[in-house]
Amino acid sequence: MSANYIDVGQAIKFYRKERGLTQEQVAEKSNLSVKYISLLENGSSKNISIQKLSNIATALDVSLASLLTTNKPQFSDNSTPYTELLFLKLQNLPIEEAEEFSKVFLDLFRSLENFNKN
């Protein structure tokens, strides 16, 4: 992957999940097919016209430039939608609240690990 490559599909997926939208909702709002949105998000389709990208940006309520920047988190292929959504929700909280929630989650995980050891 070149340094200038932008994964528009990952950007679409990022903003879709951040806004709690399904692929079906984005497809409907952008007048595109669910299959096309899925292909874009999964990287199976790399070709997209500026008009279609603009329609998707409008459906996601983001600027066209937002879909063309590379500062979004990249999730691993084995991450679940719930894991990604949790991360996005934490990221959007004020830092103090995100810290508190993170501590609670970590304490819960430690408790579960200790429970499973016994």
Side-chain angles (χ1 to χ4, degrees):
M1 181 160 52
S2 72
N4 295 327
Y5 178 78
I6 297 169
D7 191 338
V8 174
Q10 282 292 317
I12 292 167
K13 184 177 183 180
F14 171 83
Y15 286 112
R16 178 179 64 77
K17 288 186 174 194
E18 184 179 56
R19 280 146 178 73
L21 298 171
T22 64
Q23 288 181 341
E24 291 80 7
Q25 290 169 316
V26 173
E28 185 177 319
K29 289 180 177 189
S30 62
N31 294 318
L32 298 168
S33 72
V34 176
K35 183 174 181 174
Y36 185 68
I37 300 297
S38 177
L39 289 171
L40 287 171
E41 287 189 5
N42 295 320
S44 299
S45 178
K46 302 283 185 199
N47 297 322
I48 183 169
S49 70
I50 196 71
Q51 183 60 55
K52 287 179 182 177
L53 191 59
S54 178
N55 290 357
I56 292 170
T58 300
L60 295 171
D61 195 29
V62 298
S63 69
L64 191 56
S66 295
L67 294 179
L68 298 173
T69 59
T70 57
N71 60 350
K72 293 158 287 296
Q74 299 294 310
F75 297 106
S76 67
D77 290 340
N78 64 352
S79 67
T80 69
Y82 292 115
T83 304
E84 294 174 13
L85 185 57
L86 178 61
F87 176 81
L88 294 171
K89 293 289 187 186
L90 283 171
Q91 189 178 34
N92 288 328
L93 289 173
I95 190 72
E96 297 83 17
E97 287 181 43
E99 284 288 313
E100 287 302 313
F101 276 113
S102 296
K103 287 176 187 175
V104 169
F105 286 127
L106 290 172
D107 287 343
L108 178 63
F109 292 136
R110 286 184 196 105
S111 295
L112 287 172
E113 287 171 350
N114 289 335
F115 179 78
N116 288 332
K117 288 180 184 176
N118 296 328

